[in-house]
Every structure is written in structure tokens, then in C-alpha cells.
Amino acid sequence: MSSYPPSGPPPTTTLRQRLADLRGPAVPPRPLDARALAALAANPGCGRRALLDGAGVDKTALAAALGSPAAFGQSQFAIVRGNSFEARVKGDGGAELLRLVHQHLGAGAEPPGPDARVPDLMAAGPEGRAARTALALREATAAAAASGAWTLLDHPMLALEVAGSPAYLEPDAVVVHPDGRWTVVEIKSFPMIDGAADAAKVGAAARQAAVYVLALEKTAGKLASAVVGHTVLLVCPKDFSNLPAAAPVDIRRERAVTRRQLERLTRVEELAAALPEGLSFDPARPAEELTEAVAAVSAAYAPECLAACELAFHCRERARAADAVTALGRSVRGELGALTTVEEALAAAAGSGGPDDPTAAALRHAARLRAEALEAAACPC
């Protein structure tokens, strides 16, 4: 038996194995969805969220293990109601859904008839379903060019690379028009009253749909005749009934913002490579060890995170403990410039800082105005 060491470079840990080690050996990966990607794109500077989402870490379980649980998601009643409404909209082979698409985005095409195509998209695993969806889109585009056929894809699977890691996304529906155009359809359970829905909820739906459009564009890039529409159809219950109403939503602005933000995300492999070996976010580990592991990844907390991230309460507690001005909001952080702590900002308002420092001068001026206002309010005359 030879005593020489084996030739060749030492075995390296693949990214997949590295992310599995970070997640925990017995913890299955939590897939990214469009809602999570939209929230991630809204805060591209947060390496913590990028790494945890890229590794498939269950942030809900991690937050609970850290002692800062956060309740997110719809109630069971809302989920049941939403599923019932979606089944109604897609009933009878998607006839009502196709009618709404033709009514609002038909652009003079012939109305869909009983011969509209609804292909079977079943396949093994997300990769298989994504491949089957891509094939169905190709076939639907060819059928549209040949015979002007409408095609409804019910819960297709789309693939999108995010920070070097694949994400599989599942929109409610994608419709292929007779002219070959692809349209994303978002079905929501919040009501559309007198033809208008809650602006905040419509905005969230638009940002989510923008992620689907970006993923569709990746597939469309492989087909010469495919065109992805930048107007999506939002379908909601009409008034307080279970009848569907629809409205077109132009998501070009949301698409541009989301694309730019996703491109700015630090690649997951770079974040993982900077961490020490043996570090893990497995929720089964002790809270002290998890706290150290989470602290090893930089975060960019803002109050807006409270509505979008399961770790927001933990990050807020740490930001407050560090006296960081980020806890006051992104706008305040931007105005304070090089002042990174609340103590530094208060000191500047009290008179510290050079006369040529515009931030310190603005804080001193604001402090004088506040003092004058309090003095006037306290005056008994």
C-alpha cells in the first residue's frame, strides 16, 4: 500500500452542502416564494435575510428559538375563504377567469370559447414542474400563432435565480393570449369595493406580481415570439360577495424597482463563505449559540421590517441595544449621514460637531425650534 498522499486538490464543500450545514442537518429547506422575494428586494442591504432565505432557513422557528417570536400569515379562516374564492374563479375549466382576462386585457381578440387549452402541469419536484411549465408555455405560444387559441396555466411553476440561488415561484395563473402575449393573474381574497381595492394591498400584490413577471421573462427570453405583458390582472371578490371582479394593474415601476434591487443582493455563496465553519442556524441549538450565529451576519433593520420579516423583533431589539439610528427609520438614517447612533445625534443637537457640518447644524437648528415651541406652549400668557 502506497504511503504517498492522494493526488489532486482536497475535496471542497459544495454550496448546496454548505447551505444545508447552515440550515441544520435534519432541517428541510424552506422554499422562497414571491412574497418573500418582494420583501427581500425591498431591503437589499440586509445580508442576514439574503443568507437565511437563500439557505432555506425557517425564520419563524429561528425567531421563536431566539426568544423573539413573530406571528405572520393569514388566519385559517382567511385561507379557507381565499381557496374557496380561487376555486370559484377557476371553475368550469377557467371559463370565468378567461372571460375576465378577455374583458380587461383582450385587446380586440376573439373571446375564449370552450376549446380553450388548460394543460396539465403535474411533474415530480419543483425542477420538474418548472420544466413542464416552460414546455407548456412554448406549446401555448405555438398554438396561439397557429390557431389563435387561448391557454390557461393553473398554478405554473417558474424558476428565478436570486443571489446565486434558485427560487421556484408559483403564481395563481398565467394566461397566453391568442396573440402570444403572456399575462400574470393574481387572485386575492381582499374585496374590491365600487371598483377599487385597498391601495396598500394592491401595492403589495403588484410587487408580488412583479417577481412573477421577472421569472416569466427568463423563460420568454428563450422563445423568439414570446412577449410578457407588464399589465397584470388582479381578481378580487366584488364588494362583499363571493363574485369575482377584476382590474388591470400596470407593474412596470414595481418590476423595474424589484429587478434593480434583486440584482444588488449579495450572492449567497459570498455571505456563506465569510462565516466560520461549524456555524448553524438550526432552531434546535441553544438560544445563546443561535444569537451568536445570527449576529455573525450583518443586518439592515428598519421599522418596515416588522411587516415583512419574521426576525424583525429580534433585529429591532439588537438595533435598540446598539443605540442605532436605523431603529428610527430609513428616512431618519439617511438624513443623519455619518451619525450612526442616537447618542451621537443628540450630542450634535446639543452643540457638538464642527460649524461646517451641515447635519450637526440642522440638528442644532431643530433643537432650538423645539425649545422655542416648548417654551411658548408653557407660557401662561
Side-chain angles (χ1 to χ4, degrees):
M1 185 175 182
S2 173
S3 59
Y4 291 101
S7 60
T12 58
T13 303
T14 64
L15 176 61
R16 185 184 297 271
Q17 182 58 48
R18 177 61 171 145
L19 296 181
D21 293 339
L22 291 174
R23 193 170 56 246
V27 180
R30 187 178 182 87
L32 276 170
D33 58 16
R35 185 172 300 178
L37 284 180
L40 184 60
N43 192 9
C46 187
R48 183 175 297 172
R49 174 151 196 168
L51 177 64
L52 294 177
D53 282 347
V57 175
D58 186 344
K59 297 196 300 298
T60 300
L62 178 59
L66 289 168
S68 303
F72 281 92
Q74 293 178 304
S75 67
Q76 194 62 35
F77 173 77
I79 293 174
V80 171
R81 184 176 184 275
N83 291 340
S84 174
F85 176 69
E86 182 175 340
R88 181 187 181 98
V89 173
K90 293 181 178 178
D92 194 19
E96 178 64 13
L97 179 56
L98 288 172
R99 184 191 70 79
L100 291 170
V101 173
H102 175 263
Q103 176 184 346
H104 294 277
L105 300 173
E110 289 293 323
D115 58 343
R117 304 172 69 254
V118 185
D120 182 10
L121 302 179
M122 293 299 294
E127 296 92 341
R129 289 186 59 200
R132 179 68 188 93
T133 295
L135 177 60
L137 286 168
R138 183 187 300 271
E139 294 172 346
T141 304
S147 60
W150 288 84
T151 302
L152 169 63
L153 277 67
D154 185 6
H155 283 290
M157 184 67 72
L158 308 174
L160 180 67
E161 184 176 296
V162 179
S165 180
Y168 293 97
L169 314 170
E170 188 177 6
D172 294 324
V174 171
V175 172
V176 179
H177 297 244
D179 60 2
R181 182 164 38 102
W182 302 354
T183 293
V184 171
V185 179
E186 274 288 276
I187 302 175
K188 297 298 184 182
S189 60
F190 54 83
M192 190 176 293
I193 301 173
D194 293 333
D198 181 86
K201 293 179 179 179
V202 172
R207 290 189 293 273
Q208 186 174 336
V211 177
Y212 296 138
V213 168
L214 288 173
L216 267 182
E217 288 177 342
K218 295 294 184 181
T219 303
K222 303 175 183 177
L223 298 176
S225 57
V227 177
V228 181
H230 292 160
T231 299
V232 304
L233 190 69
L234 177 64
V235 181
C236 302
K238 181 179 181 180
D239 298 326
F240 299 100
S241 69
N242 204 33
L243 299 175
V249 180
D250 189 330
I251 53 92
R252 282 177 293 183
R253 183 178 66 85
E254 288 81 4
R255 172 195 168 277
V257 171
T258 301
R259 180 178 183 178
R260 182 171 65 251
Q261 300 290 58
L262 290 178
E263 289 175 348
R264 289 176 54 198
L265 288 173
T266 306
R267 296 181 66 84
V268 171
E269 56 263 36
E270 296 175 7
L271 293 168
L275 298 177
E277 291 293 331
L279 183 142
S280 174
F281 302 105
D282 188 344
R285 297 206 171 191
E288 296 80 6
E289 185 176 334
L290 288 175
T291 300
E292 293 180 5
V294 169
V297 190
S298 63
Y301 170 76
E304 294 84 353
C305 297
L306 294 173
C309 183
E310 296 85 345
L311 285 178
F313 290 105
H314 174 80
C315 296
R316 181 180 66 175
E317 179 184 347
R318 296 296 161 174
R320 288 176 173 176
D323 202 31
V325 297
T326 53
L328 304 178
R330 293 193 181 100
S331 60
V332 176
R333 174 67 186 91
E335 292 290 341
L336 291 179
L339 303 176
T340 59
T341 68
V342 176
E343 183 179 357
E344 291 176 349
L346 293 176
S352 68
D356 297 331
D357 186 347
T359 303
L363 287 171
R364 287 193 294 269
H365 180 63
R368 284 195 301 270
L369 292 177
R370 178 179 181 274
E372 292 172 1
L374 291 176
E375 183 179 355
C379 180
C381 55

